[in-house]
Structures are given as structure tokens and as C-alpha cells.
Amino acid sequence: MADLSITRLCAAVRTHTDYLPLRAFPDDLLPKQRVEAAIQEGIPQEHLIVVNPADSDLPELSDLALAAVGVPDDDQPLFLIRSGPLRDPMVTLLARMVLKFGWRGDDIGITHLDELGGTVGFELLDWAVPSVATVLICDEPVFADARVGTGRFATVGLRVQQGPGPLRVLNAGEGAPRSFSDVEWRFTGAGACDGWLDVHAALSAGDIADGDRILLHTKGPLREGWLLAQVVDAAAVELA
């Protein structure tokens, strides 16, 4: 992997309650594998609820994350990585964001990476980022448990550059992570944003030291991926 670095890390999180019963959706709309995986993960079919694809009056978390990262003066590209296709199959959100924020550079929408958007997605960014780019990783769980009644929506905003920086991305891949003996921090979660939210929290608390290596491990219901990073200068990573 080329020398990718992160200079800014922002997070927007919300408890989402707008879910509908599984029976409200045609059988051919929802991926059968995903439904079966949700059941295997421990949600009985009678308690399985699905995120409502209708528009909401609440502000989009991707808008909040992009505002936190900031709109640059140059024409750097904007990458929007969505966890799944259901709420926005044509990535129309990206077009609206470009108009709203007056984005000057190219805009690229990436869907169907599911839970691996925050790990394996960096394999794509490795060759797609020219010199600097803004990246939004959105995670909107399609399924939730009616007994809980909520899911966690999250968007992580990153400013990514080629070359040295305060948080270096060393490698990423699909499948179970290899055994890394010199890793000080391991963050595991089921969603695309989970690991990055943990990194954000640990950096905010001042727990991560310069030189520490971080392993993000995403283990979703169907796919598994990992990302290895090293903190060069913890204090220089801009957080919001």
C-alpha cells in the first residue's frame, strides 16, 4: 500500500429509531443473505426490523461530518462510502451535498462495501487519492432488533493525503487480520465506522501515544476486514 496518511478525523453519531417491520418490504427488495445473517447474529425473524428508506427531517450525518472536516479551498476530490444500498441506491445524497457545500472538486460515490467501508475501502483510496482528499464513511445499519428499537447511525469524516502525516495507514485487507505482534491498540466492531469511532475516542482522551500501532478489525455478519495504522504525531491529528 502507498503511504496514505490522515490529518483530520471527525465523527457524527445518532441513535436512529425509524425502522419498520420486515413484512413492510417486498421479499425481493432486501438481500436474502443479509436477512439470514441478521437472524444468525441473534435477531429472531419476528423481531427483525428494517430501516425506513423514506427521507427524514433530521440533518444527514454526512452533512454534519463534512461540515466538521471542512470544505477546502482547493478542488480536492470527495469520496462518499456508503455501507449499503437501501436508503440511497443511486448515491443522490452525494449530488445534494456537492450543491449544498459548493464542492469544487470531483465527487465519487462508493456503495455495497457493507461493513468493510472503513477498512477495505482504503485499498481503493490507495490508488484513487491524488494528493489529498476528503472521505466520508457512512454506516446506516439496515437491520435492528425490535426489542431494542434503535440502531446507531454514524459517519466518519477524514482528510486523507498521500505521503507522511500524523496518522499513517500502513495496510488493509479483507478477511481475518494477520497476527501483528507490535500492535498496541486493537479495535473490533461489526460496522464500517466502529473502529474509527474508537480511534477518535482514544485520541480525544489522550490515550494513544506517538509511535503506537492500531489495528482496526471489522467483523460483520457476512464479511471481515482489517486496517493497520500507526500514530506518528497524536497531537497533530485534528479532531472534531
Side-chain angles (χ1 to χ4, degrees), residues 152-177:
R152 184 176 75 167
F153 277 20
T155 298
V156 169
L158 305 166
R159 186 138 290 141
V160 179
Q161 67 182 30
Q162 293 280 1
L167 179 57
R168 293 181 58 209
V169 178
L170 303 178
N171 209 345
E174 186 167 1

Side-chain angles (χ1 to χ4, degrees), residues 35-75:
V35 174
E36 293 174 348
I39 295 171
Q40 291 173 4
E41 286 292 297
I43 306 176
Q45 184 165 347
E46 63 270 22
H47 295 298
L48 196 63
I49 52 177
V50 185
V51 68
N52 186 357
D55 291 335
S56 169
D57 293 334
L58 296 173
E60 289 281 354
L61 289 183
S62 51
D63 286 358
L64 300 179
L66 182 54
V69 176
V71 178
D73 295 329
D74 59 10
D75 58 353

Side-chain angles (χ1 to χ4, degrees), residues 25-214:
F25 296 84
D27 291 340
D28 58 353
L29 179 63
L30 300 171
K32 185 177 180 181
Q33 274 190 315
R34 287 282 157 185
V35 174
E36 293 174 348
I39 295 171
Q40 291 173 4
E41 286 292 297
I43 306 176
Q45 184 165 347
E46 63 270 22
H47 295 298
L48 196 63
I49 52 177
V50 185
V51 68
N52 186 357
D55 291 335
S56 169
D57 293 334
L58 296 173
E60 289 281 354
L61 289 183
S62 51
D63 286 358
L64 300 179
L66 182 54
V69 176
V71 178
D73 295 329
D74 59 10
D75 58 353
Q76 65 182 254
L78 170 65
F79 292 87
L80 175 66
I81 302 176
R82 298 295 296 269
S83 60
L86 183 64
R87 292 185 70 243
D88 192 20
M90 301 303 292
V91 203
T92 53
L93 170 63
L94 181 55
R96 185 192 57 74
M97 289 172 61
V98 168
L99 180 63
K100 176 178 178 178
F101 287 91
W103 196 267
R104 295 171 52 186
D106 293 335
D107 52 276
I108 302 98
I110 305 164
T111 63
H112 296 75
L113 284 181
D114 300 308
E115 54 263 48
L116 302 189
T119 51
V120 175
F122 276 80
E123 291 187 323
L124 182 149
L125 296 174
D126 184 34
W127 59 263
V129 171
S131 58
V132 63
T134 298
V135 179
L136 300 178
I137 302 169
C138 304
D139 185 20
E140 299 177 348
V142 173
F143 300 106
D145 191 329
R147 294 167 297 184
V148 178
T150 64
R152 184 176 75 167
F153 277 20
T155 298
V156 169
L158 305 166
R159 186 138 290 141
V160 179
Q161 67 182 30
Q162 293 280 1
L167 179 57
R168 293 181 58 209
V169 178
L170 303 178
N171 209 345
E174 186 167 1
R178 303 193 302 270
S179 176
F180 296 102
S181 59
D182 56 349
V183 169
E184 286 78 17
W185 299 88
R186 297 173 183 265
F187 298 119
T188 300
C193 291
D194 290 353
W196 288 111
L197 294 176
D198 289 337
V199 172
H200 186 280
L203 285 171
S204 298
D207 295 334
I208 298 179
D210 295 351
D212 284 357
R213 289 198 172 200
I214 301 169

